[in-house]
């Protein structure tokens, strides 16, 4: 998408005129200019300031602030304020309040305290979004729009009366008949058979045992569809009036389908509050959000020093870390790097959060880090304008759908978020540069595709993976991949269902080997398998054998597929073995790899004169 937003590098911070007013605006602008801030984000919590009484809009404060910022060379990302509806709305529509899985109703004064599927709430959101779009459509200085704010966080699935009615409608549309629902979910187990859609419960928290993962997974999908529809609805309203690109801020922790929401956006923005001890997660986010859309991305929120709220604060960033974080994002293709927040809140839940300027108007100690980023941008801007990011040969597939499956069926495992970080780190340790792609991504350009921990492989993803393998790629099915159906049940025609026939493999068992003594060998490495494993019949395709007192077979098999291969390793195996497997498969398929164990990150950019390779370490960076 061609837009001036993507032709510049923005160094920004969140700004709240509804809190600070106009009296300190000139002083704040002077501080922004001194620190190298050329962009602010505003409006996401300002509904009460914009619409004090229903239907009466007053945007004059924001008109003045945006104008004066623009006159000083500071651009604005303007947000819709729908995450914090005013008290007049709550009083008029108390039934709109969010209800959690324990059937506790939220109260006014929090954030995202209303049901995102409530019709009255959506109608009011539509009205203020349209009013803002009409009013600010021609305003100079606005470079982009952000929808809502951190959608469905910390809220999860809502269990209000309105959601119950819509849940039943969703099921009717998906299954057609209740008999099909019963068959798909296996409701004969525990006598859970339904005789009408209106009988299907909402999966609230039980204090006895547990509910079937089939219904829990489907309800999470239903909720995520509501969230995606809500974002799509706001985007459609804005696009009728404004020409600036539209985004919203995403995060892997949010209870959303990021891939589907991204379809409604012109560019991706995300929030990240990761410290140096977890810096590989920071690199993971660069690779994920840099790959999600064919456009530059924007780090919309990070901390210049530490994150915090009244419940606790994080550790102070080590000197150099923020600059390294900025460099990683910029080399990976970011057009913006922005902090939360500019001026410290003097009241409210987030008073303890890190900031550029404190509540009494003086620059904070964290501003030293901001100056370092400003200097970095000045030094890199010319090079970044004249070069472009070069996608690596390898991709690892991230799935919002898989996150639902791990939430619904924990089985003593870590959550999907933590497991995926471990799998990403395996590629880092193997020295393989990688994109983090989603099920919606184009996979055709990759030589090696790692697909770990995706229990349900959709038809759409399967067809993409087959297509890349047929053209010569190697696809690796990792732990748990392919072991569940769409309806969160086990396959009844083999551990991996119909994939086995297409891959030419046959499973013997799918079992938990925890606590057993097993003997496995991959190449020269011997190890013991643990946890749930798919064991295949012994075949010449075997890359890793398994033997125990209980079962003997193949743990990892490699099958030719067109001009490429599928490697099936849907078992829990040690990380060191996974790293060795990834190195071997990268070498065999000609995938680029760097043999440098200490390097955290490597990004290649194409210039007129050739290629530049950027290396990222813990707290400093340099060119090679």
């Amino acid at each position: 998408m061609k837009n001036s937003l993507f032709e510049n590098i923005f160094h920004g911070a969140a700004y709240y005129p509804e809190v600070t007013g106009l009296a300190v605006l000139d002083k704040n602008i002077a501080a922004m200019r001194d620190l190298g801030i050329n962009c602010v984000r505003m409006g996401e919590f300002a509904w009460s300031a914009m619409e004090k009484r229903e239907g009466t809009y007053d945007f004059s404060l924001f008109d003045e602030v945006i104008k004066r910022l623009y006159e000083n060379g500071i651009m604005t990302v303007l947000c819709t304020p729908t995450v914090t509806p005013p008290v007049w709305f709550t009083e008029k529509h108390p039934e709109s309040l969010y209800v959690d899985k324990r059937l506790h109703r939220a109260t006014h004064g929090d954030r995202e305290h209303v049901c995102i599927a409530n019709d009255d709430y959506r109608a009011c959101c539509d009205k203020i979004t349209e009013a803002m779009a009409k009013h600010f459509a021609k305003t100079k200085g606005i470079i982009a729009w952000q929808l809502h704010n951190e959608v469905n966080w910390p809220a999860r699935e809502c269990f209000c009366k309105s959601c119950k009615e819509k849940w039943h409608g969703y099921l009717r549309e998906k299954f057609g008949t209740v008999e099909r629902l019963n068959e798909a979910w296996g409701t004969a187990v525990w006598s859970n058979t339904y005789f009408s859609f209106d009988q299907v419960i909402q999966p609230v928290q039980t204090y006895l045992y547990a509910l079937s993962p089939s219904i829990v997974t489907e309800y999470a999908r239903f909720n995520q569809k509501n969230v995606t529809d809500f974002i799509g609805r706001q985007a459609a309203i804005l696009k009728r009036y404004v020409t600036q690109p539209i985004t919203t801020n995403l995060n892997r922790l949010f209870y959303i389908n990021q891939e589907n929401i991204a379809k409604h956006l012109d560019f991706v923005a995300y929030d990240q509050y990761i410290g140096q001890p977890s810096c590989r997660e920071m690199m993971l986010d660069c690779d994920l959000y840099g790959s999600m859309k064919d456009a530059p991305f924007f780090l919309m929120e990070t901390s210049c020093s530490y994150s915090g709220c009244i419940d606790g604060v994080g550790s102070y960033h080590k000197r150099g870390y923020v600059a390294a974080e900025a460099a990683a994002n910029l080399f990976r293709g970011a057009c913006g790097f922005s902090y939360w927040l500019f001026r410290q809140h003097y009241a409210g839940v987030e008073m303890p959060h890190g900031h550029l300027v404190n509540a009494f108007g003086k620059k904070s100690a964290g501003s030293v880090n901001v100056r370092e980023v400003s200097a970095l941008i000045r030094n890199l801007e010319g090079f970044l304008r004249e070069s472009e990011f070069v996608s690596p040969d390898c991709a690892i597939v991230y799935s919002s759908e898989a996150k639902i499956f791990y939430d619904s069926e924990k089985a003593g495992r870590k959550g999907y978020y933590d497991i995926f970080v471990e799998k990403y780190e395996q590629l880092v340790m193997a020295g393989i540069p990688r994109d983090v792609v989603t099920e919606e991504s184009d996979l055709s350009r990759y030589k090696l595709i790692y697909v770990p921990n995706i229990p349900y492989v959709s038809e759409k993803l399967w067809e993409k993976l087959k297509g890349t393998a047929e053209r010569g790629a190697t696809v690796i099915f990792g732990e748990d991949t392919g072991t569940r159906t769409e309806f969160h049940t086990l396959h009844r025609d083999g551990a991996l269902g119909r994939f086995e026939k297409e891959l030419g493999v046959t499973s013997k068992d799918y079992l938990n080997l925890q606590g057993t003594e097993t003997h496995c060998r991959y190449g020269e490495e011997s190890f013991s398998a643990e946890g749930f494993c798919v064991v295949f019949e012994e075949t010449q395709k075997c890359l890793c054998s398994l033997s125990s007192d209980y079962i003997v077979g193949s743990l990892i098999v490699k099958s030719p597929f067109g001009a490429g291969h599928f490697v099936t390793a849907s078992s829990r195996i040690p990380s060191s073995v996974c790293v060795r497997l990834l190195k071997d498969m990268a070498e065999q398929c000609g995938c680029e790899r760097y043999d440098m164990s200490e390097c955290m990150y490597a990004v290649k950019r194409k210039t007129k004169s050739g290629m530049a390779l950027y290396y990222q370490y813990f707290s400093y960076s340099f060119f090679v």
Side-chain angles (χ1 to χ4, degrees), residues 434-593:
R434 65 267 133 202
D435 281 342
V436 179
V437 297
T438 72
E439 297 189 46
E440 298 297 324
S441 300
D442 177 10
L443 305 180
S444 60
R445 64 179 178 270
Y446 300 107
K447 295 180 180 179
L448 179 65
I449 304 174
Y450 189 23
V451 194
N453 303 92
I454 300 184
Y456 165 57
V457 177
S458 68
E459 188 66 26
K460 186 175 184 179
L461 177 58
W462 176 238
E463 290 301 318
K464 288 182 182 182
L465 294 172
K466 285 200 302 183
T468 58
E470 286 169 348
R471 291 187 290 271
T474 296
V475 178
I476 302 175
F477 269 22
E479 179 184 349
D480 285 343
T481 297
T483 60
R484 298 293 186 272
T485 70
E486 175 186 356
F487 304 108
H488 206 143
T489 62
L490 293 173
H491 297 286
R492 289 184 279 180
D493 53 349
L496 301 183
R498 69 178 183 84
F499 300 130
E500 295 188 14
K501 183 176 181 180
E502 296 206 49
L503 296 175
V505 300
T506 304
S507 59
K508 295 180 72 171
D509 206 347
Y510 174 50
L511 72 167
N512 179 19
L513 293 172
Q514 191 73 32
T516 66
E517 186 176 348
T518 61
H519 303 281
C520 307
R521 176 174 289 276
Y522 175 74
E524 299 300 316
E525 188 162 355
S526 298
F527 64 95
S528 179
E530 293 185 348
F532 279 97
C533 296
V534 178
V535 181
F536 299 98
E537 297 284 356
E538 296 171 276
T539 137
Q540 291 182 341
K541 302 173 184 176
C542 176
L543 295 181
C544 177
S545 60
L546 177 146
S547 64
S548 72
D549 292 340
Y550 299 95
I551 191 168
V552 175
S554 301
L555 201 62
I556 304 174
V557 292
K558 182 179 181 183
S559 312
F561 201 98
H565 294 87
F566 268 89
V567 176
T568 311
S570 300
S571 300
R572 193 177 303 178
I573 55 181
S575 184
S576 60
V577 178
C578 289
V579 171
R580 183 70 262 169
L581 175 67
L582 290 166
K583 285 181 178 179
D584 290 346
M585 295 305 107
E587 182 177 342
Q588 290 177 27
C589 68
C591 182
E592 192 169 33
R593 193 174 77 80

Side-chain angles (χ1 to χ4, degrees), residues 62-326:
F62 294 88
D63 288 334
E64 180 65 17
V65 172
I66 293 170
K67 172 177 174 290
R68 286 165 64 177
L69 287 167
Y70 178 66
E71 290 171 347
N72 283 273
I74 301 169
M75 304 295 111
T76 296
V77 175
L78 188 59
C79 308
T80 58
T82 47
V83 72
T84 51
V87 69
W88 57 256
F89 175 83
T90 308
E91 290 178 341
K92 184 176 180 180
H93 303 288
E95 74 287 348
S96 70
L97 288 167
Y98 168 81
V99 177
D100 71 12
K101 65 181 179 180
R102 296 166 294 177
L103 299 182
H104 294 165
R105 187 174 293 275
T107 185
H108 187 85
D110 206 327
R111 54 188 272 188
E112 207 164 41
H113 48 275
V114 292
C115 171
I116 206 163
N118 179 270
D119 291 332
D120 294 317
Y121 171 63
R122 288 190 172 195
C124 279
C125 290
D126 290 350
K127 290 175 183 176
I128 193 167
T129 299
E130 184 170 36
M132 290 182 70
K134 288 179 177 179
H135 181 86
F136 292 105
K138 304 298 182 182
T139 300
K140 293 181 179 180
I142 297 175
I143 55 167
W145 288 76
Q146 180 192 297
L147 307 170
H148 205 66
N149 182 71
E150 298 190 335
V151 61
N152 229 40
W153 178 260
R156 292 195 59 163
E157 297 83 10
C158 180
F159 296 87
C160 70
K161 182 179 179 181
S162 175
C163 280
K164 185 174 183 179
E165 293 171 355
K166 293 186 176 186
W167 165 235
H168 293 153
Y170 166 89
L171 294 175
R172 287 189 185 92
E173 183 177 349
K174 177 161 187 171
F175 291 99
T177 68
V178 73
E179 289 78 15
R180 288 177 181 169
L181 179 150
N182 285 323
E183 172 63 19
W185 289 0
T187 56
V189 176
W190 283 11
S191 191
N192 278 322
T193 303
Y194 296 106
F195 300 96
S196 75
F197 285 112
D198 290 340
Q199 293 176 328
V200 181
I201 65 165
Q202 292 172 293
V204 298
Q205 181 172 309
T206 174
Y207 291 92
L208 298 174
Y209 197 69
L211 297 174
S212 167
S214 296
I215 190 171
V216 177
T217 291
E218 201 62 60
Y219 199 83
R221 286 181 177 137
F222 159 72
N223 175 72
Q224 291 190 358
K225 181 180 183 299
N226 290 337
V227 175
T228 301
D229 290 347
F230 175 82
I231 291 296
R233 185 168 171 152
Q234 278 201 20
I237 292 171
L238 280 177
K239 287 176 181 179
R240 293 203 294 265
Y241 301 98
V242 307
T243 58
Q244 299 95 339
I246 295 168
T247 192
T248 191
N249 44 346
L250 305 175
N251 188 282
R252 284 179 288 126
L253 288 175
F254 300 170
Y255 300 104
I256 57 176
N257 188 302
Q258 300 191 96
E259 305 93 294
N260 287 340
I261 286 178
K263 295 176 185 177
H264 297 289
L265 310 178
D266 295 316
F267 69 103
V268 167
Y270 77 105
D271 297 350
Q272 181 185 86
Y273 292 100
I274 294 171
Q276 188 164 340
S278 304
C279 57
R280 286 182 181 174
E281 292 183 55
M282 181 261 285
M283 305 305 180
L284 190 166
D285 282 341
C286 289
D287 288 338
L288 173 61
Y289 296 107
S291 303
M292 199 170 283
K293 297 282 285 188
D294 187 20
F297 63 104
F298 208 114
L299 177 51
M300 195 63 76
E301 290 186 24
T302 192
S303 174
C304 70
S305 49
Y306 53 87
S307 59
C309 67
I310 57 174
D311 289 332
V313 295
S315 299
Y316 211 101
H317 291 320
K318 291 184 179 180
R319 187 70 179 271
Y321 174 76
V322 179
E325 180 186 15

